[in-house]
Amino acid sequence: MNYKEHIDIKKLPRHVAIIMDGNGRWAKKKGGIRIFGHQNGVKAVTDVVEASAELGIKYLTLYAFSTENWNRPKVEVDALMGLLISTIHKELNTLTKNNIRLLAIGNILQLPNNVRKELQKTIDITSKNTGLTLVLALSYSSRWEINNAVKNIAKDVKNNILNPDEIDEITFNKYLTTSEIPDPELLIRTSGEYRISNFLLYQLAYTELYFTDTLWPDFTKEDFYKAINDYQKRERRFGLISEQIKNQQ
Ligand code: IPE
Ligand code: IPE
Ligand code: MG
C-alpha cells in the first residue's frame, strides 16, 4: 500500500511527537555496540524531518535525550552528546534549505557547553524560518518540566507578579517549556514499548497514541506515513459522543 497517497493533506496533525526508541536493541541484533545503533538512528531522524516538512506538518517534536538518560554509562552519554553536535552541525544547511526552524525543550543548561553552543547557534540562525518547527527534547522529562513550572509560579506569586486566584490552564501553560507549541495530535513510539517514559505527560492529555514494533534505525518515511494514515482513521471525541462530533463537521 502506498501510505503517502492515502494521507488527507487537509486533515494533517499539526504537531507530531516521537519517542525514538530501540537504537540499542537494533545494534545488538547486528552484533554491534549501542552507539552503533544511535549512529544509525540519525538517518531515521533526517527522514522523518524531511517527510514532515514535505507534507506540511507544522511541529515535529523528537525525544532525543531524557533526564533519566543521564544515568546511562558515561561512554554512551558522551557518544550521544557528540552525535548531537555533529548532527546539528551537518543538518544546518538542510534546515535552512527547507525553511525549518529549530527549537529545544528541556533542561538545556545541563547540556555540555559545546552542545549548548551548537544548539543555540542553530536555533538563532533558523529562528525566522516559517515552515516546520523541529523541537528537540533534550535533557527533558515532564516531571522536571512541571516541577520547574511550579517553582516559577511560586516565585511569581511571592513577588506579586501573579495572583493565585487567576492561575488557570492558560496561565499554567505559560510556565511550561512548550508554552509556544500546540499540544501534539499524534504521538509515535517505536520499538514495541507501550509507555510514555516521562515525555510530555501534561501535553499528551488528548493525543492519539501510535505504537510500532519497528526499531528506530529501521523507521522509514513509509512507516511515518502509515502512522499518519492510522491517525486519520480515528475519531477524536474529546469527551463528547460520536453524534456530537459528526454534527460539528
Ligand atoms: C533510544 O534508543 C535512544 C535514546 C534513548 C537516546 P535506546 O538507546 O533507548 O535503545 P534501546 O531501547 O536500549 O533498544
Ligand atoms: C525514552 O526512551 C527516551 C528517549 C527516547 C530519548 P528510553 O529508552 O530512555 O525509555 P525507557 O527506559 O524504555 O522507558
Ligand atoms: Mg530505549
Side-chain angles (χ1 to χ4, degrees), residues 77-107:
V77 172
D78 290 349
L80 280 166
M81 292 300 141
L83 203 55
L84 200 56
I85 299 186
S86 64
T87 307
I88 296 172
H89 187 76
K90 263 195 252 154
E91 291 307 312
L92 178 58
N93 280 342
T94 321
L95 296 180
T96 313
K97 206 175 67 206
N98 293 300
N99 196 20
I100 300 170
R101 174 172 74 130
L102 183 71
L103 288 182
I105 55 167
N107 193 357

Side-chain angles (χ1 to χ4, degrees), residues 65-81:
F65 195 85
S66 74
T67 306
E68 290 74 20
N69 289 153
W70 287 115
N71 299 320
R72 291 193 177 189
K74 188 173 179 311
V75 277
E76 183 170 345
V77 172
D78 290 349
L80 280 166
M81 292 300 141

Side-chain angles (χ1 to χ4, degrees), residues 15 17 19 61 63 66-68 105 137 140-147 169 172-173 176-178 182-184 187 189 194-209 211:
H15 180 181
I19 302 176
T61 299
Y63 203 5
S66 74
T67 306
E68 290 74 20
I105 55 167
Y140 174 88
S141 77
S142 271
R143 288 184 178 178
W144 164 81
E145 179 182 44
I146 292 169
N147 185 286
E169 287 185 20
F172 187 73
N173 189 50
L176 297 172
T177 56
T178 52
D183 290 343
L187 172 81
R189 183 170 188 150
Y194 299 87
R195 54 178 172 263
I196 304 297
S197 300
N198 218 350
F199 186 46
L200 301 175
L201 298 178
Y202 185 80
Q203 297 84 343
L204 294 176
Y206 268 104
T207 302
E208 296 296 328
L209 309 179
F211 298 99

